[in-house]
Amino acid sequence: MPGSTDRPAIEITDLVVRRGRNEVLHTLNLSVRSGSITGLLGPSGCGKTTLMRAIVGTQIVESGSVTVLGEPAGSASLRHRVGYVTQSPTVYLDLSVRDNVRYFAALYGRTAAAAAEAVDAVALGGYSDQQAGQLSGGQRARVSLACALVGDPELLILDEPTVGLDPVLRADLWDRFADLAASGTTLLVSSHVMDEAEHCPELLLLREGSLIAQLSPDELRTETGQSSLEHAFLTLIRSRTVGAEQS
Ligand SMILES: Nc1ncnc2c1ncn2[C@@H]1O[C@H](COP(=O)(O)OP(=O)(O)OP(=O)(O)O)[C@@H](O)[C@H]1O
């Protein structure tokens, strides 16, 4: 089973990242369990994408270490083991849905049948012949996701994959993510919508470039005494801010 070792899929030690003049990630320490769905949550601009880029190896880091599947982030050997779906879909607009996914299937040495399966997994089977340029933003994002899924990566990094999707599709996609995790894939999924956290057994809560907690949704509720995750997150932020000011 891919990724089903005791070793964390991602280990980050003392990570500092600057973008432009600003330090945007401040000495982060965290680990992501293999074969889990981990939600990376926090307000817009808190550094989620920057952290994901550091994990994929496309972000210059100031200091600290990022180890992915036992290798330094960005190693050539990780290229086919890690799938990354960015917020802005990267698909060939002049190609059909089918050909976009087949192209990635060929790169990963996968079959046309695997490409068709990936297209079905994102509920675009009915759009296989349509040019990607003629799809809606949410549909295009799903083509991008299918292109990553077809590689059957051990680690999938998904930046806000459910933005712009209706509730039914959103629920279907989370089911699909749960299936992938059950078969050993590790998923790191970002969102700025706390409701999504419900689908993630593990949460990384980021605020202004600092990790404020790594815990499960139930632990977050217990710690804050709030049943709504949105309120729980806010309560946690307030208590940490007050704690920091008093220390
Ligand atoms: N190219 C860049 N140059 C300088 N600063 C940047 C650049 N890209 C992002 N930043 C800054 O880095 C910080 C973190 O941005 P990042 O995109 O990682 O946040 P995010 O949590 O993913 O936000 P969102 O949920 O809105 O996508 C922000 O303050 C942002 O202004």
Side-chain angles (χ1 to χ4, degrees):
M1 202 164 30
S4 61
T5 63
D6 289 338
R7 185 189 65 203
I10 303 169
E11 276 182 290
I12 293 182
T13 311
D14 295 335
L15 174 66
V16 176
V17 173
R18 300 185 75 83
R19 295 188 85 169
R21 291 178 176 193
N22 301 322
E23 184 176 296
V24 297
L25 296 181
H26 317 298
T27 321
L28 290 192
N29 286 283
L30 61 94
S31 70
V32 169
R33 195 166 57 81
S34 212
S36 67
I37 305 182
T38 299
L40 175 58
L41 288 117
S44 176
C46 71
K48 300 181 296 295
T49 302
T50 304
L51 177 57
M52 290 184 148
R53 284 163 49 98
I55 293 166
V56 178
T58 56
Q59 176 67 54
I60 294 172
V61 309
E62 177 92 355
S63 56
S65 75
V66 182
T67 304
V68 176
L69 304 173
E71 309 279 344
S75 303
S77 57
L78 290 173
R79 203 172 301 146
H80 286 188
R81 300 173 67 198
V82 178
Y84 177 39
V85 182
T86 59
Q87 248 171 319
S88 13
T90 40
V91 296
Y92 295 100
L93 299 179
D94 53 336
L95 292 184
S96 69
V97 170
R98 179 188 291 111
D99 287 344
N100 263 288
V101 184
R102 280 190 177 179
Y103 173 75
F104 282 88
L107 285 182
Y108 296 126
R110 310 274 296 163
T111 61
E117 205 179 294
V119 171
D120 284 342
V122 297
L124 284 178
Y127 293 84
S128 285
D129 294 319
Q130 192 142 329
Q131 270 196 355
Q134 293 168 355
L135 298 172
S136 73
Q139 289 169 330
R140 235 177 269 168
R142 279 183 283 146
V143 177
S144 213
L145 177 59
C147 292
L149 288 178
V150 77
D152 196 17
E154 288 166 58
L155 171 64
L156 252 181
I157 312 274
L158 306 174
D159 200 351
E160 308 245 5
T162 57
V163 164
L165 299 186
D166 63 68
V168 175
L169 268 177
R170 196 177 283 219
D172 285 352
L173 220 48
W174 279 109
D175 285 347
R176 174 78 190 158
F177 296 161
D179 290 346
L180 286 167
S183 67
T185 308
T186 307
L187 292 98
L188 180 66
V189 184
S190 76
S191 178
H192 61 270
V193 183
M194 274 310 285
D195 284 352
E196 305 257 83
E198 205 60 76
H199 301 280
C200 307
E202 324 238 345
L203 302 175
L204 295 169
L205 303 183
L206 205 59
R207 182 171 183 258
E208 293 178 358
S210 296
L211 186 71
I212 59 167
Q214 175 162 17
L215 72 193
S216 71
D218 281 345
E219 286 166 344
L220 177 58
R221 286 194 188 91
T222 307
E223 187 164 325
T224 58
Q226 299 282 351
S227 53
S228 132
L229 288 174
E230 185 87 46
H231 290 141
F233 186 44
L234 288 173
T235 304
L236 195 69
I237 285 174
R238 286 187 188 125
S239 71
R240 296 287 155 100
T241 310
V242 170
E245 281 166 2
Q246 284 172 348
S247 63

